[in-house]
Amino acid sequence: MNIDVDDSPVSAVPQARGLDQAADNPSPLTGAAAVARGVARLFSRHDIMVMPEMGLPNKRRADLMGVDAKGQIIIVEIKVARGDLLGDGKWPEYLDYCDRFYWALPGGFDHSPLDWPEFMPERTGLILADAYDAEIVRPAATHALAPSRRKKETMRLARRSMQRLSEVNGWIDPVGRDFF
């Protein structure tokens, strides 16, 4: 499986390794947090930086939102329960804010529903992940955002990232709400 980060394809993504590593190096992360970590590690190796829990202008919240080296915006929706996946009718509202959209699921999760037409398999990608790594099973199709939307979303991501970094470093008090 290749990931197109710049104009040249990148070599195959390694298999998620959580099961063989778990006995030697247990992770305290479980569920969505473990999946998010695995996806972040995979994306980081391919120069895609992500922000967790990123509020969108339509009052939705992306589980992970990031930017690749080309400036494309990626949104990842994490699901760890079948009922949550099947009952999620809000995810199409994320598509207006990204160039690529991925579903991220834990290994062993039945991902066959993501092949159903209502989950737009021709547009959405699929990532299987654990706390150690992730693998792109199906790449997401690129649907380019309008340049004005991309600029606005990139600025929101940058400003929110700086705000969170300032809070973590103790430079400012936590704001407690998304206003970007």
Side-chain angles (χ1 to χ4, degrees), residues 45-106:
R45 286 194 308 274
H46 296 287
D47 202 19
I48 303 170
M49 300 300 118
V50 296
M51 168 76 71
E53 298 295 325
M54 183 64 189
L56 300 174
N58 64 359
K59 305 300 181 201
R60 299 293 182 203
R61 183 178 300 274
D63 292 331
L64 294 174
M65 189 171 185
V67 179
D68 69 10
K70 291 181 186 178
Q72 291 183 338
I73 297 175
I74 297 114
I75 290 181
V76 178
E77 179 70 359
I78 298 170
K79 296 297 180 189
V80 296
R82 184 177 175 86
D84 188 24
L85 173 65
L86 297 178
D88 184 356
K90 69 184 183 319
W91 73 269
E93 297 175 35
Y94 299 162
L95 299 177
D96 289 337
Y97 299 96
C98 63
D99 296 291
R100 289 182 283 161
F101 179 90
Y102 284 95
W103 295 100
L105 311 173

Side-chain angles (χ1 to χ4, degrees), residues 147-164:
S148 60
R149 173 64 60 95
R150 179 186 325 288
K151 179 179 178 182
K152 186 173 183 178
E153 291 307 303
T154 302
M155 290 295 295
R156 277 185 348 90
L157 272 165
R159 290 177 51 79
R160 185 69 170 135
S161 297
M162 287 183 256
Q163 176 197 5
R164 288 187 186 178

Side-chain angles (χ1 to χ4, degrees), residues 2-11 46-48 68-72 100 142:
N2 291 332
I3 298 177
D4 185 14
V5 175
D6 52 24
D7 290 326
S8 59
V10 178
S11 62
H46 296 287
D47 202 19
I48 303 170
D68 69 10
K70 291 181 186 178
Q72 291 183 338
R100 289 182 283 161
T142 300

